[in-house]
Amino acid sequence: MTKVTLYGLDASPPVRAVLMTLKALDLNYDYVLVNILAGEHLAPHYIEKNPQHTVPTLEDNGHFLWDSHAIMPYLVDKYAKNGALYPKDAYQRAIVNQRLHFDSGMMFIGALRNIVRPLLFMNETEIPQSRINALDEVYGFVETFLAENDYVAGMELTIADFSFVSTLTSLETFLEIDASKYGKLTAWLERMKQLPYYDEANGSGVAQFSGLMRSKNFTIVP
Ligand SMILES: N[C@@H](CCC(=O)N[C@@H](CS)C(=O)NCC(=O)O)C(=O)O
């Protein structure tokens, strides 16, 4: 029987995106905690697996792969009974890829990491308002993606939804999603929360993330 190993911790958004994929595919997996807050990702045995020392990392049959945006397509291509989560049609797949790049570059690095890294690793407690404004811009883009779609890359659930929901629910720690302004985004979030594996794969981890951030007693400054 197939068994893969995921290295990570629940507070990490890209780890949660991979957890949602594993659950959606109903795959057997081992989960190895890598506590990046305690520096465990810098241990030589972890760097041997992933020299970029990020979480998540996937181990499959002696092979190592990192970056959630590479891991999720791999899992679907290799293990899904059907390709719905990562469509085979070239155009549909390209749309999913575009969304994955949007998450990777604009939402995760451009918006979230810009806020989180100084709080967690540089002992800063003030967040410039301009970084919060970047979140509003992101919410606006996602609202546009959802204008005529039930899910972020079309009418069907895909791995792009897993990336988006893990990042967006984390961004909410810093800027609430205003339902009157972002109706489609709010409705999609509710749809995602109905998934049977949502709480286990994303809900509890995002609560940990949010608690950790709030423990830094940050303030937003002009
Ligand atoms: N694009 C990567 C981002 C991975 C990432 O930056 N993870 C953070 C935790 S959320 C991390 O491992 N930080 C520790 C480090 O960069 O050394 C992905 O989607 O997997």
Side-chain angles (χ1 to χ4, degrees):
M1 190 188 282
T2 302
K3 198 160 199 190
V4 298
T5 302
L6 177 65
Y7 295 83
L9 80 170
D10 286 8
S12 157
V15 170
R16 284 184 258 124
V18 174
L19 281 170
M20 293 193 85
T21 308
L22 289 166
K23 299 276 180 202
L25 295 175
D26 203 18
L27 277 182
N28 267 318
Y29 64 93
D30 285 325
Y31 190 33
V32 177
L33 177 71
V34 180
N35 185 353
I36 62 172
L37 300 167
E40 289 176 8
H41 60 312
L42 301 175
H45 66 85
Y46 190 68
I47 289 184
E48 241 171 62
K49 299 175 176 65
N50 169 356
Q52 207 184 320
H53 52 72
T54 50
V55 291
T57 295
L58 184 83
E59 180 177 357
D60 185 10
N61 204 18
H63 299 300
F64 293 96
L65 183 62
W66 62 95
D67 201 300
S68 62
H69 307 92
I71 295 170
M72 291 188 290
Y74 169 81
L75 286 172
V76 179
D77 278 345
K78 186 148 183 208
Y79 295 113
K81 292 185 185 81
N82 68 62
L85 286 171
Y86 190 48
K88 296 259 189 288
D89 173 81
Y91 182 67
Q92 286 304 321
R93 181 166 278 218
I95 297 293
V96 173
N97 289 340
Q98 186 277 322
R99 303 300 195 251
L100 294 177
H101 285 289
F102 178 85
D103 177 67
S104 182
M106 183 119 191
M107 289 208 290
F108 182 78
I109 302 280
L112 187 63
R113 203 177 76 151
N114 247 350
I115 293 176
V116 170
R117 220 177 160 77
L119 297 182
L120 276 189
F121 299 113
M122 298 168 198
N123 286 325
E124 290 183 18
T125 53
E126 294 186 340
I127 306 174
Q129 180 64 46
S130 58
R131 290 196 194 143
I132 302 296
N133 296 346
L135 310 194
D136 209 39
E137 188 188 17
V138 159
Y139 296 169
F141 283 130
V142 182
E143 182 76 7
T144 311
F145 298 159
L146 288 163
E148 290 173 7
N149 295 317
D150 285 349
Y151 294 96
V152 298
M155 289 307 283
E156 305 295 334
L157 179 76
T158 69
I159 51 176
D161 293 288
F162 300 154
S163 275
F164 274 45
V165 82
S166 68
T167 306
L168 284 162
T169 50
S170 306
L171 290 176
E172 277 188 295
T173 301
F174 305 103
L175 180 69
E176 219 176 288
I177 295 173
D178 179 348
S180 64
K181 203 167 157 191
Y182 302 117
K184 296 272 182 186
L185 172 49
T186 305
W188 165 82
L189 260 180
E190 281 314 307
R191 207 169 296 130
M192 292 301 291
K193 288 178 183 171
Q194 300 308 314
L195 292 170
Y197 42 83
Y198 177 84
D199 284 337
E200 196 187 344
N202 191 63
S204 65
V206 84
Q208 287 176 30
F209 171 88
S210 185
L212 175 64
M213 292 306 141
R214 289 181 203 288
S215 75
K216 299 291 168 189
N217 292 319
F218 61 83
T219 50
I220 297 169
V221 295

